[in-house]
Amino acid sequence: DTEVTQTPKHLVMGMTNKKSLKCEQHMGHRAMYWYKQKAKKPPELMFVYSYEKLSINESVPSRFSPECPNSSLLNLHLHALQPEDSALYLCASSQDRRLAGIYNEQFFGPGTRLTVL
Amino acid sequence: GDSVTQMEGPVTLSEEAFLTINCTYTATGYPSLFWYVQYPGEGLQLLLKATKADDKGSNKGFEATYRKETTSFHLEKGSVQVSDSAVYFCALSDQGAQKLVFGQGTRLTINP
């Protein structure tokens, strides 16, 4: 299984709502990532989890809260979002062999299209 | 810091034409290089990769060669199809890093 799955595919929420995005992989990867992608732009890294610990937070506002319950799952909790947060949210995973000096490619999910009203 | 520069698009070609999308990079170490493709409404798919100088990555008729002397990783395909219409991203990751540095993307449209 070489797939990263994301749910939901589409999400519409109001600025006062609380919602969560979910990501799952069964490739045995130990690094997982959240990206935000605006139209006609490359993905922007938000968070990196390595061995279930948050290793990189790219100064993301606290209204985005990541969680890694286990090595296969990654969540992104959303609260009090702004309309400018509307974007495609992509999850990715990789083997994370940094200690061996080998970089492993990231596998991306299909994304969640988020609209904040 | 590390950066990737791609040729600006959009690029429009006729079916069976030859494709080149230029990509150059700057990096402090010895990066791995990637091409990702994003079809409309989808996530990114890894198209090909190269992890050291003079490596050639290839997949689905696409090729790119890691040229350290020119810091380039240009994407080529000999005969494009309508189904190749997508956005193509060149990216790098420096050794030991967990971050991918993306170029701005090149939108490719192939007309029948």
Side-chain angles (χ1 to χ4, degrees), chain A residues 68-94:
Chain A
C68 190
N70 60 56
S71 61
S72 300
L73 292 174
L74 186 66
N75 298 322
L76 186 63
H77 303 297
L78 314 172
H79 177 231
L81 294 193
Q82 304 297 310
E84 58 265 28
D85 297 321
S86 298
L88 180 68
Y89 287 84
L90 294 164
C91 173
S93 69
S94 71

Side-chain angles (χ1 to χ4, degrees), chain A residues 5-49:
Chain A
T5 59
Q6 290 187 243
T7 56
K9 192 170 175 61
H10 300 277
L11 178 63
V12 179
M13 59 187 291
M15 289 190 285
T16 58
N17 292 156
K18 285 185 181 181
K19 297 286 185 183
S20 296
L21 310 184
K22 296 185 185 302
C23 174
E24 191 166 4
Q25 57 88 13
H26 294 288
M27 294 179 276
H29 289 173
R30 302 312 300 269
M32 296 186 77
Y33 310 76
W34 280 116
Y35 288 86
K36 173 183 177 180
Q37 186 180 25
K38 301 284 271 186
K40 300 186 178 182
K41 295 291 186 183
E44 298 172 30
L45 183 66
M46 299 174 73
F47 303 104
V48 180
Y49 273 82

